[in-house]
Amino acid sequence: MTDSPNDPSWLPRLGRVVVRLGPWRATALLTALVLAATVSLAAALVALGGGDVGLAVTVAATCVLLTAPVAGGVIVHLAYRLELARRRLAVAATCDELTGLPNRRHFTAGAGRVWAQCRRYDTDAALLLVDVDDFKAVNDSHGHVAGDHVLREVARVVAQALRQADLPARFGGDELVVFLPHTDPLGALDVAERIRVHVGDLRVDWHDELLKVTVSVGVAAANHTHASLDALVHDADVALYAAKQAGRNCVRCAPAPYGRAPADSSVGDRRPAGPV
């Protein structure tokens, strides 16, 4: 959350300074500045009037030292609390409270900007939709608190499998989304499979019981048929539905457009043998 260039308010700016310095140091600095300014002004005025400069400076300094720490402390405290509140609001506006990942709104804005750059410079990009299999069964069997804990752990594993440039987010419910800039179809499938395997290896400790979950992943690689980021999300959603229909715990890729070789003809079989 930033101030506009035309914002006349000084309190948010003071708040950022206070947070950097700390309330006590900020109060001491403010008191010193007020003291220096008041003493200098008192000395100048008395000198012009021919009075006792030393006495005037002493009185002015005493008054400032008695009042400035209290008044300055109140201002500093208000500025400090305001800045902390602004930062909490900024986090709440961009992050999902449960998983700590960016929320859907923030993802759409950030991924939209990167998508526009990929389209402009004709670079590869891909999008993943990651859905926890049978998540309702976890909530029904162990409670929603356990389900929340599982989802947090899945989000952590997904984030660890990504590069710094990749953009993960909670898309809604038990579904996560990942935008992969500068990633070709084979690279996107590799990331999706890595996520699937790492989540499958995950064991979530819940009240002395180890919970195991799997994920299905839908992959869509950007091509000339995608006029917008929403179109890419749609194709990934179709691929995710195919993964669910195939028995879950697998990766499916949206079909390549006509005239373009598929990224991996075996992608439909990226699922361990045996029952899921």
Side-chain angles (χ1 to χ4, degrees):
M1 186 178 295
T2 58
D3 302 319
S4 66
N6 297 324
D7 188 357
S9 175
W10 53 269
L11 200 53
R13 295 181 179 86
L14 176 61
R16 288 191 288 273
V17 174
V18 170
V19 169
R20 285 196 294 269
L21 294 177
W24 290 108
R25 292 174 62 186
T27 301
L29 178 60
L30 181 60
T31 301
L33 292 175
V34 173
L35 176 62
T38 304
V39 168
S40 298
L41 180 61
L45 292 177
V46 173
L48 290 175
D52 188 338
V53 176
L55 178 61
V57 168
T58 301
V59 172
T62 302
C63 293
V64 169
L65 291 175
L66 290 175
T67 59
V70 177
V74 171
I75 295 174
V76 165
H77 179 72
L78 291 176
Y80 182 74
R81 296 295 296 272
L82 175 62
E83 181 61 19
L84 291 183
R86 284 163 57 85
R87 293 188 179 191
R88 284 194 294 268
L89 287 175
V91 171
T94 59
C95 291
D96 173 62
E97 183 179 4
L98 177 61
T99 63
L101 295 176
N103 58 28
R104 182 168 182 168
R105 179 179 179 181
H106 187 60
F107 168 83
T108 301
R113 289 191 294 269
V114 180
W115 165 263
Q117 294 175 355
C118 292
R119 295 292 85 192
R120 179 178 180 182
Y121 297 106
D122 194 25
T123 57
D124 290 322
L127 187 137
L128 314 179
L129 283 179
V130 182
D131 189 80
V132 181
D133 297 325
D134 295 320
F135 188 67
K136 185 176 183 298
V138 176
N139 287 330
D140 291 344
S141 301
H142 303 280
H144 288 277
V145 177
D148 290 346
H149 184 52
V150 167
L151 191 57
R152 276 193 297 269
E153 288 298 296
V154 171
R156 179 183 60 81
V157 169
V158 170
Q160 289 178 344
L162 303 176
R163 306 166 302 178
Q164 186 175 2
D166 299 332
L167 304 176
R170 185 182 184 188
F171 211 53
D174 59 338
E175 192 172 81
L176 308 178
V177 63
V178 181
F179 184 72
L180 304 171
H182 308 292
T183 305
D184 61 20
L186 285 178
L189 289 170
D190 181 66
V191 175
E193 180 66 6
R194 184 163 65 247
I195 288 173
R196 186 193 70 78
V197 171
H198 286 183
V199 173
D201 293 338
L202 178 66
R203 300 294 182 272
V204 181
D205 187 5
W206 180 253
H207 293 174
D208 297 328
E209 182 178 357
L210 295 179
L211 305 182
K212 181 180 185 300
V213 294
T214 61
V215 293
S216 300
V217 187
V219 181
N223 57 63
H224 64 272
T225 67
H226 296 120
S228 65
L229 182 63
D230 286 341
L232 192 65
V233 172
H234 174 268
D235 276 4
D237 195 35
V238 172
L240 177 61
Y241 179 77
K244 293 292 187 180
Q245 292 296 104
R248 302 181 177 88
N249 190 23
C250 61
V251 173
R252 287 293 185 274
C253 185
Y258 178 77
R260 181 173 177 175
D264 187 349
S265 59
S266 66
V267 64
D269 297 323
R270 289 180 178 269
R271 180 163 57 97
V276 177

